[in-house]
Amino acid sequence: MKQISVIGPSNPSEKVGRLAYKIGEIIGDLGFVLICGGRGGVMEQASCGAKNKGGITVGILPGDFDDANPCVDIKIPTHMNELRNFLVVSSGNIVVSVGLSDGTLIELAIAKKLNKTVFSFLLPDTYRHLAKEVFNEQDLDKFKEALLLNA
């Protein structure tokens, strides 16, 4: 079973949150396991989208079990705070970023260093070198195709 790591801001815009939910739905619908940091924002929206489609969700948490959003099925408490970002990225066969924050940039750099396949949504041109492919919110069908070809 393939594992897809989803990364993004913990305080996204409404647009980014809606997009993360749709991306989660695609991942769940394809039967992939969704891995994330397990908290709010993009992590929660993607987890809830995957769960809505019957997918399995894993949250690699910065602290304890109580940190998890309600859509996380498997909770992995690390007590590592932001250091757990390495685990989130390294656990996925593919990394999907949705939106951008300082933490997301760190995770994208880790993914690049680990030679992970990265698909990004709404990534500014300045950082496009960190992703294999960059999509916009209208590219969900292309994203699904790319996911199937690369997973």
Side-chain angles (χ1 to χ4, degrees), residues 14-144:
E14 193 174 314
K15 172 183 169 181
V16 170
R18 280 193 312 270
L19 181 58
Y21 187 89
K22 291 175 186 174
I23 289 165
E25 285 186 317
I26 290 169
I27 292 167
D29 197 39
L30 292 174
F32 298 145
V33 174
L34 186 142
I35 297 175
C36 67
R39 296 180 77 195
V42 163
M43 298 168 279
E44 183 170 2
Q45 292 300 315
S47 295
C48 292
K51 196 164 181 66
N52 180 50
K53 293 293 185 173
I56 297 170
T57 61
V58 177
I60 301 177
L61 303 162
D64 210 340
F65 292 100
D66 297 339
D67 290 337
N69 73 61
C71 294
V72 169
D73 296 313
I74 300 168
K75 302 170 186 174
I76 302 174
T78 66
H79 301 279
M80 296 173 69
N81 294 318
E82 298 308 313
L83 292 175
R84 64 87 157 82
N85 291 351
F86 183 88
L87 300 174
V88 171
V89 170
S90 65
S91 296
N93 298 95
I94 293 174
V95 176
V96 179
S97 73
V98 189
L100 194 62
S101 68
D102 292 344
T104 309
L105 274 176
I106 291 167
E107 290 167 318
L108 285 167
I110 292 167
K112 180 80 168 172
K113 203 74 168 142
L114 295 176
N115 203 29
K116 293 284 183 175
T117 297
V118 176
F119 296 133
S120 292
F121 283 84
L122 309 174
L123 189 66
D125 288 343
T126 308
Y127 303 111
R128 286 188 179 240
H129 67 284
L130 297 173
K132 177 176 182 172
E133 199 162 345
V134 178
F135 301 96
N136 63 46
E137 59 269 27
Q138 288 82 35
D139 291 335
L140 291 173
D141 288 336
K142 288 181 189 174
F143 165 67
K144 185 175 182 177

